[in-house]
Amino acid sequence: MPKSSSDSLRALALTGLLALPFAAPLPLAAQNQVAPTTGAGTPPGSKGELLADEGYVTPPEAIAKLVTAPRDRTVSFTNPSPGTRQYFMRPLSDGLPQLKYVGKAHHNLGGFQVDQLGNRERALTMRSSVGFEVTEWSTGKKVTVSAPTGARVAAPAWSPDGKEIAFFALYDDATQLWVADAATGKARAVSPRTVLATGVTAPEWTADGQSLLTVLVPDGRGPEPKEPVLATGPMVRMNEGGKLKTRTYADLVMTPFEKELVAYHMNGQLAVVNTKTRAVKKIGAPGYIRGIDASPDGQYFKVTFVEKPFSYVLQVNEYGTRDVVLDAAGAVVREVAKRPMRTGDDPADGPARGRATVDTSKRDIKWHPAGGLLYLQVASARRTGGNGAANTASATRMDSAAAPRRNDRVMHWKAPFDSTSASALYETANRITATRFNDAGTILFVTEQGTAGTFEQAVFLTENNTKYTVITPRRGADTTQVRGGFGGRNADGLVSRPGRTGAPVVIVSTDGKFVFRIGTAPDTAKAQNTWVEKIEIKTGSIARLYESDASLVETISAPLDDDFTRVVIQREGATMVPQSYALTLANKQVKQLTSNVDVMPELSAAVKKTVIARRADGYQFNVKVTLPAGYKDGTRLPAMFWFYPYEYDNQAGYDRAAAQNAARERRFPTYGPRSLAFLVTQGYAVVEPDAPIFASEGQLPNDNYVVDLRNNLSAIIDALDTLAIIDRHRLGLGGHSYGAFSTVNAMVHTPFFKAGIAGDGAYNRTLTPNGFQSERRDLWQGRQTYLEMSPFLYADQLNGALLMYHSTEDQNVGTDPINSVRMYHALMGLGKTTSLYMYPYEDHGPIARETVLDQWGRWVAWLDKYVKNANAPKKPAAM
């Protein structure tokens, strides 16, 4: 049976879920007009009715307002046009995705999710927009690119010259290519052909900006395969001594029929579409295309094909692939890489852990701007010489002294891409992690990772490949963090932008002498200086062009010219709404570009505190507390805890992470539609603690999980009780995913909480036998830990009332909905107070407007009933 959007519902019905408080799906025709059945005005006496309601409900008005707040009105200038960088573009949102888009019929095929009617990836349909807004930053002029009539839009892509925007127009039954003029906003269809956007999910411009490379529905494609009325045989799986450890995938291809569906929806025709003439040129024969990349001269195409056989035990993105080069006529010139389907080894060990051999395959294959391909490859035998490699690598070898020397190389592979047409451009004993060019294609920048740190080399291709070390590792107290630019990120931090061919290039000053990098001072709660450095390529000398004063958090979004005379920055503070500015570096003069306003003033007015929790064993950690506006010290409130534990080797490891988190607190707070902070509007204290799980000597962190969990929660409650913030007799606890798992563990191993909310969690670790979260031992290596960490096995000890929610199409590894189904089954049999809400169509973390509002309606009702009013006197029974 194919796993379409309704299949998971049918499967869950077979488990007996129809007897649960189940949010039943409405017919698609009715989903535009879903009306609340109870909620905002529900009197306290009917909370139980709301909790049992089988329609979509709504929360109190104060929370509904925050859920649906217009977050898209907070504009940030981060996506400039290439070339002159004249424009900035952003999608226009109409709020949370509507259920009719999230619930549109689709297939789940081993992680390959398809909107079969629209011939596109399901995510494009769910995350689509109503248009785009283009702003000319220097004048403030704005134009709107509206979605075509009857369609929505997705996947915008700037043309190389920054004058046009290509995008997908998403109709209910088709996906088409459109192009808009950035200056006027006027859009036009460039082809009537239907795009197949299942494997390649965005249009790609050719380097000349005249055409778009895309994948089309093949000519003469027949109807979608139909499932046999009767099964043609059993579901067959065989393993004869092989060892293939996989995580617990939520969805896999299950039958020969589903393999047919994968092939049908992946099989596409590569094509070049001229945006002016609308002419369509087909390239080669249809195939299972996952990736496409045209050469700068448009004469060749690098295409990634998915290979058969398909698998029943691995997801589609793990199937074997091969990269080939096609010529303009569509003929295969060369196979350049082949990656077979994984058939062994534990994925938790990583691709090279514990191996004595050196990987000599081609890596990071991409087009050279001057023609041909560029790739990285470890030499197959000991080499000497070659661009000074031996002179620079003696102290920074990637191999140990005992291992045979294997230099890493940058190779230039020219047409016809045979065994004799590749030559080494650069060679080093360090590991090469990235390569980029300047826009002219005359300088190759190579990032190397050695034992001493990260190096950045500049190779002047027009000067006999002369090499200069641009950046050497920083040492001592200088722990500044660097980051790449708006055209792409790199470990070295050299700023990049989209180049003339569309690929990211390193920004080089107009005189050809300098490159730039941006970064921040160490993350602390007290200061964060943002800086720009200019580095002379041939000497490595560094001059600081700009440094912020740290009074506000400042982010450099994009340079507005190649000499870094002006940049776009964003400034914000804990109480200052983020705004974008054009900054002139020489005199620090700014021009404000945005006029953002606080869209959630209710939460900005809330009282925020950070409390230190100290455990009896000496460990300590931070607890973030949000309290209602106007809160008076000493007022004890019912509290809702929301958490997600992380593992650390020791206190120092936690402290480093905490320092980074503290720096984030200096930014203006943002709240997603499911932020628990909304509960302050209902009179709750919202407690979001760190919950570190520490490793003891000779043990792994998870071996202490239950004890640390209990000790953490006890320390948090004691700290907040001492400050008279909470009523320790009216506490709730919740979390999502691993936080849900931890919530249920806390409720079976502690007596602290009156109620819990657990979403999309895993509760039985025997269902994830090959590892989970950061646990790399399998069930048989860590049997006792797996059993102790499974709250399902301690369900009889549950304290408090547990509300569970789970998305019926949860695709997350290890959190199959069966976890919640069986946990509810167990708790029901034990007579515990519990509920389970299964949300149709949703993945790991609901997104549909109707779903999120429904969750809030039930959460508030649950907490009011079992936490806020937990100690209220019972009314006498009616006579």
Side-chain angles (χ1 to χ4, degrees), residues 410-475:
V410 180
M411 304 294 294
H412 187 192
W413 199 13
K414 299 179 181 179
F417 309 106
D418 58 21
S419 59
T420 64
S421 57
S423 60
L425 287 181
Y426 181 75
E427 187 166 342
T428 176
N430 295 324
R431 181 71 169 184
I432 300 173
T433 58
T435 57
R436 291 176 295 170
F437 290 89
N438 64 331
D439 203 8
T442 57
I443 307 173
L444 171 66
F445 292 91
V446 182
T447 308
E448 305 178 19
Q449 185 68 49
T451 55
T454 300
F455 296 78
E456 186 70 24
Q457 315 285 5
V459 182
F460 282 69
L461 303 178
T462 57
E463 298 179 14
N464 198 30
N465 290 359
T466 304
K467 181 190 72 173
Y468 300 92
T469 300
V470 181
I471 298 174
T472 56
R474 294 177 175 239
R475 299 179 181 276

Side-chain angles (χ1 to χ4, degrees), residues 295-297 300 302 323-326 332-338 360-377 409-426 437 444:
S295 64
D297 61 8
Y300 297 98
K302 184 168 74 71
D323 290 355
V324 302
V325 172
L326 306 179
V332 176
V333 177
R334 189 71 54 193
E335 180 182 287
V336 297
K338 190 175 181 69
T360 59
S361 62
K362 298 180 179 67
R363 318 185 320 269
D364 192 23
I365 303 171
K366 56 190 176 185
W367 293 111
H368 191 297
L373 289 165
L374 197 78
Y375 64 86
L376 307 178
Q377 186 177 45
R409 300 175 294 170
V410 180
M411 304 294 294
H412 187 192
W413 199 13
K414 299 179 181 179
F417 309 106
D418 58 21
S419 59
T420 64
S421 57
S423 60
L425 287 181
Y426 181 75
F437 290 89
L444 171 66

Side-chain angles (χ1 to χ4, degrees), residues 17 20-22 51-52 756-758 798 801-806 820 823-824 827-828 832-838 858-859 862 866:
L17 274 183
L20 303 182
F22 182 64
L51 290 167
I757 296 175
L798 182 79
L802 177 62
L803 180 155
M804 292 181 288
Y805 64 90
H806 216 122
S820 294
M823 193 68 185
Y824 179 87
L827 294 173
M828 181 178 63
K832 301 294 185 178
T833 299
T834 186
S835 64
L836 172 59
Y837 302 95
M838 306 293 293
R858 299 181 196 275
W859 292 355
W862 191 262
Y866 294 108

